[in-house]
Amino acid sequence: APHFVHMFEYRRCNLVTRILFPENSLLLDDIIRDSLDSDLVAQRSLQKGDDSMYEIEEVLGCGKFGKVVKCHKKGTNEHVALKVMIKGNRLSAAREAEIFKRLRRLDPDKNNIVRFYSCFKYKTCFCFEFELLDISLYDFMERREWKPLSVAEIRPIAQQMLVALTALKSIGVTHSDIKPANILLVNQESKPFKVKLIDFGASCMTSNFTQFHEIQSFGYRAPEVYLGLRPDESVDMWGLGCTLLFLFFGQHFYPTSQCEYNYMKFIVKLHGTFTDENGNSYDHLESLDDLQKMVPDIKDPTELGDLNAFIDLIKNMLVVDPLKRILPADALNHKYISMEHLNEDCTCFTYELLDLSLFDYLKKISSKRLSVSEIRPIAKQM
């Protein structure tokens, strides 16, 4: 077991939580500075107390609480992602460390959650080490120039995230920031269908939620959060529903501006002329049933039935009343996910493909031939 000497604590509701970090952890001052030069970072390295040496190769992203960098771990010769929380975020680091302690109860691969390795401290900064994944769904959509995904392509993503939400609910954790940027592809080459949920910086124990929690990003925030009501884990289902619509439209469905009035107006009415800050107009939509108008060219009865199943699931995810919003376990049994509404010749695709390369999957089903409808979503992603 590692030796811990650094300790800090925070007080909340008369409860003292102590978080321990390994001793002798070093981190480059360049990472701490807000004005980070990625060209300089590529030439630097850091060392942790257990003699692990990290060579920082590039900055992967920047957020409210810090930065994420790609590192080459020389001790094991593997690449990892390192989240560096800048000074002043001690309470956030403590909360996130507490969440990851809970997440250790879950299998990260089976439950589609990023694998957490360790955390350590340097000066006023706290570092979290994770497995290195591929690009986010947001970046993936940007690379394909915002071309919408079909409902067949969205299905495996929806299924995996519902598994993740079911697992989080089982340990009493709410992610609180489900959005395309926080869902990453694992590896586009070896596992093109596999995704994982990341960034638990805004996560919370569901039992600790209060009506004063400001959670979720604009455009993915549940109505009860805007109304100042006490949220629960159902906010994650709302965020996932918005994410699936983002993939379906190739753009944000709900307004991403910070105008609460416009957001609530759109949620309540879902009709009339509304244009968000990106110029997206949905004046032709009077309800979620009208999502079918977005793909008027569908003539095949099977594809049309699949679209209607997708819309039905979305309607259950985006129920304004959180008490009536569908639960993750129930959503996993929805016909859109189970594919029970599809013809037998269209159900050769199974979720086993998520953990296999295409080559390995084809070997596994060597006695079968993929149909054209099954090949189509694979071809589109490639």
Side-chain angles (χ1 to χ4, degrees):
H3 178 57
F4 294 94
V5 295
H6 294 296
M7 179 181 72
F8 69 95
E9 62 183 40
Y10 71 100
R11 297 178 182 272
R12 184 175 181 275
C13 300
N14 298 321
L15 176 66
V16 178
T17 300
R18 293 179 172 84
I19 308 296
L20 305 179
F21 293 89
E23 64 177 333
N24 300 326
S25 300
L26 299 180
L27 181 65
L28 292 175
D29 290 340
D30 302 66
I31 304 296
I32 301 175
R33 300 191 188 101
D34 289 338
S35 55
L36 183 63
D37 187 336
S38 58
D39 292 330
L40 292 177
V41 171
Q43 308 299 321
R44 304 301 182 89
S45 62
L46 61 92
Q47 186 171 6
K48 199 170 70 171
D50 60 0
D51 295 328
S52 297
M53 179 68 72
Y54 299 84
E55 181 181 359
I56 303 173
E57 297 184 350
E58 63 176 302
V59 178
L60 298 176
C62 302
K64 180 179 179 181
F65 296 116
K67 308 176 189 300
V68 179
V69 293
K70 176 182 177 181
C71 296
H72 175 231
K73 195 172 182 180
K74 294 186 176 181
T76 59
N77 199 32
E78 63 180 337
H79 283 86
V80 297
L82 201 64
K83 179 178 180 179
V84 183
M85 301 187 71
I86 57 179
K87 61 182 179 180
N89 291 312
R90 187 173 69 171
L91 299 185
S92 298
R95 184 173 61 247
E96 190 164 354
E98 183 179 353
I99 293 297
F100 280 116
K101 182 179 179 181
R102 286 265 180 163
L103 290 179
R104 286 188 181 277
R105 304 178 187 178
L106 303 175
D107 185 316
D109 294 324
K110 290 183 179 179
N111 294 294
N112 310 311
I113 295 171
V114 65
R115 184 180 297 276
F116 168 70
Y117 291 131
S118 66
C119 57
F120 56 95
K121 179 185 177 184
Y122 171 69
K123 293 183 179 179
T124 58
C125 291
F126 303 96
C127 308
F128 295 84
E129 180 188 352
F130 305 94
E131 65 175 319
L132 183 66
L133 301 174
D134 213 319
I135 62 174
S136 70
L137 289 182
Y138 185 89
D139 293 333
F140 174 73
M141 294 297 290
E142 184 177 28
R143 289 188 182 184
R144 53 184 276 134
E145 299 180 343
W146 313 110
K147 182 180 179 182
L149 298 182
S150 69
V151 293
E153 294 169 316
I154 294 172
R155 185 177 4 256
I157 298 172
Q159 188 268 349
Q160 291 172 87
M161 288 300 97
L162 289 171
V163 169
L165 295 190
T166 301
L168 292 181
K169 182 177 174 62
S170 71
I171 60 173
V173 171
T174 300
H175 184 276
S176 303
D177 198 19
I178 304 290
K179 59 183 180 181
N182 286 339
I183 301 174
L184 267 59
L185 298 170
V186 172
N187 189 310
Q188 292 187 78
E189 295 183 1
S190 63
K191 297 180 179 180
F193 299 94
K194 184 75 172 178
V195 294
K196 281 192 173 185
L197 183 62
I198 68 161
D199 194 355
F200 289 81
S203 299
C204 180
M205 298 303 301
T206 307
S207 59
N208 292 340
F209 262 136
T210 72
Q211 64 266 38
F212 303 109
H213 271 89
E214 184 176 339
I215 56 175
Q216 300 183 290
S217 300
F218 292 106
Y220 296 82
R221 184 175 293 176
E224 59 267 28
V225 179
Y226 277 112
L227 295 174
L229 304 177
R230 185 181 183 276
D232 58 21
E233 68 271 6
S234 64
V235 299
D236 283 345
M237 185 60 72
W238 181 277
L240 179 57
C242 295
T243 298
L244 300 184
L245 283 180
F246 168 80
L247 300 175
F248 181 74
F249 280 94
Q251 60 188 20
H252 303 297
F253 182 69
Y254 290 110
T256 56
S257 67
Q258 298 185 20
C259 179
E260 297 183 6
Y261 172 77
N262 280 340
Y263 188 84
M264 293 304 299
K265 176 183 176 182
F266 185 56
I267 288 177
V268 172
K269 294 185 176 180
L270 260 185
H271 67 83
T273 301
F274 176 82
T275 303
D276 71 9
E277 63 182 2
N278 297 317
N280 303 322
S281 179
Y282 306 108
D283 58 298
H284 56 292
L285 295 180
E286 296 184 358
S287 71
L288 290 174
D289 291 311
D290 290 339
L291 289 174
Q292 190 179 119
K293 295 180 180 179
M294 302 303 298
V295 280
D297 297 332
I298 292 183
K299 305 298 181 183
D300 182 83
T302 300
E303 292 188 15
L304 186 59
D306 205 18
L307 173 61
N308 289 331
F310 170 75
I311 294 174
D312 185 71
L313 177 59
I314 290 295
K315 288 169 59 179
N316 282 278
M317 287 179 160
L318 299 181
V319 175
V320 173
D321 185 349
L323 297 178
K324 298 179 180 179
R325 207 169 291 156
I326 193 170
L327 298 175
D330 294 333
L332 282 170
N333 292 320
H334 189 275
K335 61 182 179 180
Y336 171 68
I337 301 298
S338 67
M339 299 183 287
E340 65 181 34
H341 62 291
L342 298 178
N343 297 328
E344 290 185 2
D345 60 349
C346 295
T347 57
C348 179
F349 173 87
T350 70
Y351 293 111
E352 294 176 357
L353 182 55
L354 298 175
D355 293 310
L356 299 174
S357 68
L358 286 176
F359 180 77
D360 291 335
Y361 180 72
L362 291 173
K363 285 173 57 179
K364 188 178 182 67
I365 60 168
S366 57
S367 60
K368 301 178 181 179
R369 181 190 299 272
L370 292 181
S371 67
V372 174
S373 62
E374 292 165 330
I375 295 173
R376 185 183 299 114
I378 300 174
K380 284 186 177 181
Q381 292 189 70
M382 294 300 104

